Amino acid sequence: MEKRTDKNTYTVIFAIGMVLVVGALLAFLASTLNPMITENERLEKQKNILYALGVNENEENKAIFVSNEETPKLFKDNIFNQVVIEAKDGKIIRVLSEDEYKEENNNEEPYLIDIKKEQNNAKDGEIRKLPLFLGKNEEGQTCYVVPIRGKGLWDAIWGYISLDKNMIIHGVYFDHKGETPGLGANIKQRFFMDDFIGEHLMKDGVFKGVTIRKGNADPKNNDKTDNEVDAIAGATITGDGVTAMIKTDLKLYLSYFKNLKN
Amino acid sequence: MGLLSKKDSKLILDPLADNNPITIQVLGICSALAITAELEASIVMSISVLFVLGVGNVIISLIRNIIPSKIRIIVQLIVVAALVIIVDLVLKAFAYELSKTLSVFVGLIITNCIIMGRFEAFALGNGPWRSFLDGIGNAFGYGVILIIVGFFRELLGSGTLLGFPILGDPIEKTGLYAFGYENNGFMLLSPMALIVVGLIIWVQRSKNKALIED
């Protein structure tokens, strides 16, 4: 005799039941946990910006953020303005201060601007919002933290770069969604990120960015004006992604920085 | 092992050596290649698989009599996927930093053939307790190989272990590097994982001739 579980009707009913149970369970969990997850993501953005600015608790070779509890206060104390630049076709239309932006956008914090969405807007020929976070670093110098986003080998990579008004890098933070552990994932390690500190983005008055170079003749990275840092072995494509996102995204801020100097 | 009967302890011990999922059954090779460039990643992956395989085996075993045989593979797939997503969501809410480290592995766990293999070959025909032991045993067997491969790849490829420099500084030329030693960058690439696994298989079979097939 045919087993009960072999019948087509049973199979269909089981499949429907399973989908309902599993779907309901996942939907319930996702909606209950969502507020906590959003809050964690919000804090993470603040921590990343603070890290690039140099507000962190780094130990020896490890990159360590400030604690969750301290983050909101430190962010408020250290970031004194969040400027939003509106650009179209690579040209700056207008520059909004934090207060002006909030007034126009229901009090939305500029650091929560979704860079991916803005990049898509720019692709569609619409206005792209370019956030810029102004803070003081440890030496009391004003630094400009720029968010950037690009593609690695497997998925998105992004980061924050802290610059002074001469477009010299004072700190960076990189992160990724799914680069290979041990290879591309190492872009968020100190040995890689610290190499960027002091690097110049300009060369002889022209914007060059920073290139992640394989077989760099300067692995100790003593030469800060060569617009190059040493690549990670086995992570060529992730490295190229970092080079590309620095070049394309920072370039958009170029005329803002030129105005600053004048 | 006084706690377990002889038959039960065999479930845990067999996959560690003579029926190892990687070296004997040649399953789960894909993740073994992908993430063993670093010892830490190997360890994290081993623990994740330990959890998913242990719990997944129990769930499948509990519902084994009501699963329609025609769609059993899909049911198994959904159990793994749901488990992994639940763990990922809970970690994101309560241990965000940890979840970021683990997120890379989520996709690799779902596609790990050892998990589906154990569901299909064992949990569908055995009780929950025995299935649990079988899951744990196979996850350990998988983890042991991952950790061995990760150890050698990180040591010879980067000169570090768990991120700590063991052999000196390759740029400052201290330690072993002072004598002209160089890191073998090839160890960091996936093919070397396959070669290391191959060497382990060779050693294992030359020690236990019974494993050699005609």
Side-chain angles (χ1 to χ4, degrees):
Chain A
M1 201 194 101
E2 205 183 10
K3 272 199 299 184
R4 180 176 59 96
T5 52
D6 282 344
K7 282 193 183 134
N8 280 345
T9 34
Y10 179 81
T11 306
V12 171
I13 292 169
F14 185 91
I16 294 171
M18 179 180 64
V19 168
L20 288 179
V21 170
V22 175
L25 180 71
L26 290 182
F28 170 75
L29 259 181
S31 55
T32 343
L33 297 176
N34 194 41
M36 281 187 245
I37 295 173
T38 327
E39 175 68 7
N40 280 332
E41 285 169 353
R42 194 178 67 81
L43 283 175
E44 191 200 10
K45 280 192 178 170
Q46 293 193 341
K47 284 191 226 177
N48 288 173
I49 294 168
L50 286 172
Y51 185 96
L53 191 65
V55 184
N56 50 50
E57 299 189 351
N58 278 351
E59 275 171 25
E60 278 191 50
N61 303 317
K62 283 197 168 152
I64 302 174
F65 293 132
V66 291
S67 72
N68 269 352
E69 295 75 37
E70 288 172 303
T71 303
K73 188 182 176 305
L74 283 172
F75 191 78
K76 226 175 151 190
D77 291 350
N78 285 284
I79 304 291
F80 61 83
N81 198 355
Q82 305 180 48
V83 173
V84 179
I85 302 166
E86 291 189 343
K88 197 174 174 183
D89 303 327
K91 287 200 179 67
I92 293 177
I93 299 173
R94 55 177 188 157
V95 179
L96 299 172
S97 75
E98 185 175 347
D99 296 334
E100 287 166 339
Y101 180 81
K102 280 184 181 167
E103 202 171 303
E104 282 186 21
N105 294 280
N106 296 326
N107 255 334
E108 191 200 34
E109 293 275 352
Y111 73 89
L112 292 176
I113 289 176
D114 186 348
I115 307 295
K116 188 181 170 191
K117 212 172 100 195
E118 297 304 325
Q119 283 177 341
N120 288 336
N121 282 349
K123 243 185 247 163
D124 298 340
E126 288 169 35
I127 290 175
R128 174 171 173 180
K129 292 176 196 160
L130 300 164
L132 182 65
F133 315 107
L134 276 60
K136 291 247 188 280
N137 69 3
E138 275 176 6
E139 289 94 50
Q141 201 177 359
T142 302
C143 279
Y144 304 82
V145 183
V146 184
I148 53 177
R149 189 180 171 94
K151 282 196 199 84
L153 171 61
W154 304 113
D155 214 317
I157 52 175
W158 60 92
Y160 294 88
I161 297 201
S162 169
L163 307 165
D164 64 15
K165 63 177 195 299
N166 298 316
M167 291 195 103
I168 294 170
I169 297 177
H170 281 246
V172 298
Y173 183 74
F174 294 125
D175 209 341
H176 62 94
K177 192 163 172 204
E179 298 307 297
T180 321
L183 304 175
N186 281 347
I187 57 169
K188 61 186 289 189
Q189 298 290 332
R190 287 250 335 252
F191 74 83
F192 182 68
M193 297 194 292
D194 286 0
D195 263 3
F196 286 80
I197 297 173
E199 282 288 336
H200 290 235
L201 286 169
M202 309 289 285
K203 183 141 195 146
D204 304 326
V206 183
F207 180 79
K208 277 272 206 184
V210 176
T211 304
I212 319 300
R213 173 88 62 213
K214 275 203 289 187
N216 191 335
D218 177 32
K220 282 188 201 170
N221 199 17
N222 292 327
D223 185 359
K224 296 290 186 187
T225 54
D226 60 354
N227 301 82
E228 282 180 6
V229 296
D230 199 16
I232 302 170
T236 309
I237 296 177
T238 312
D240 289 348
V242 174
T243 307
M245 74 174 172
I246 290 175
K247 249 188 207 126
T248 48
D249 272 5
L250 283 178
K251 206 174 179 179
L252 301 167
Y253 292 84
L254 196 59
S255 42
Y256 179 86
F257 279 94
K258 276 192 179 145
N259 280 340
L260 277 180
K261 278 178 87 176
N262 299 332
Chain B
M1 282 206 191
L3 196 67
L4 302 166
S5 70
K6 209 172 168 194
K7 239 169 110 189
D8 284 350
S9 60
K10 215 169 129 58
L11 285 176
I12 292 212
L13 295 179
D14 256 11
L16 285 180
D18 289 350
N19 197 15
N20 189 287
I22 296 187
T23 62
I24 308 297
Q25 302 170 28
V26 200
L27 291 173
I29 293 289
C30 6
S31 51
L33 300 190
I35 51 121
T36 47
E38 234 176 22
L39 185 56
E40 192 185 336
S42 309
I43 295 173
V44 173
M45 183 69 176
S46 307
I47 296 172
S48 317
V49 168
L50 184 70
F51 174 79
V52 174
L53 194 49
V55 178
N57 250 4
V58 171
I59 295 178
I60 291 290
S61 168
L62 285 174
I63 59 171
R64 69 184 187 279
N65 292 327
I66 59 165
I67 298 178
S69 54
K70 284 175 194 156
I71 55 164
R72 64 181 195 284
I73 301 280
I74 300 172
V75 176
Q76 293 162 10
L77 196 67
I78 287 177
V79 168
V80 194
L83 258 183
V84 173
I85 293 170
I86 290 171
V87 174
D88 192 45
L89 276 175
V90 171
L91 284 177
K92 261 189 193 146
F94 298 105
Y96 193 72
E97 292 298 311
L98 186 63
S99 86
K100 291 208 66 177
T101 329
L102 286 174
S103 65
V104 182
F105 301 94
V106 170
L108 285 169
I109 294 173
I110 297 179
T111 55
N112 192 324
C113 23
I114 294 177
I115 296 181
M116 295 289 279
R118 291 330 290 170
F119 285 1
E120 179 74 10
F122 198 90
L124 275 177
N126 288 282
W129 172 240
R130 280 172 55 82
S131 299
F132 177 70
L133 294 179
D134 177 77
I136 300 279
N138 275 283
F140 272 127
Y142 169 76
V144 165
I145 302 297
L146 233 62
I147 288 166
I148 295 174
V149 178
F151 176 87
F152 284 111
R153 283 182 73 191
E154 189 177 348
L155 184 68
L156 301 177
S158 320
T160 59
L161 280 178
L162 293 170
F164 293 105
I166 299 286
L167 305 177
D169 190 325
I171 293 170
E172 303 289 336
K173 298 266 175 248
T174 59
L176 214 52
Y177 300 100
F179 305 102
Y181 174 82
E182 293 265 0
N183 282 331
N184 184 353
F186 196 40
M187 287 303 282
L188 293 175
L189 305 179
S190 305
M192 279 315 286
L194 202 58
I195 292 172
V196 176
V197 171
L199 290 174
I200 296 173
I201 293 178
W202 177 29
V203 171
Q204 194 183 8
R205 290 187 195 210
S206 62
K207 288 214 161 187
N208 184 353
K209 297 269 195 268
L211 295 172
I212 302 173
E213 291 155 31
D214 297 321

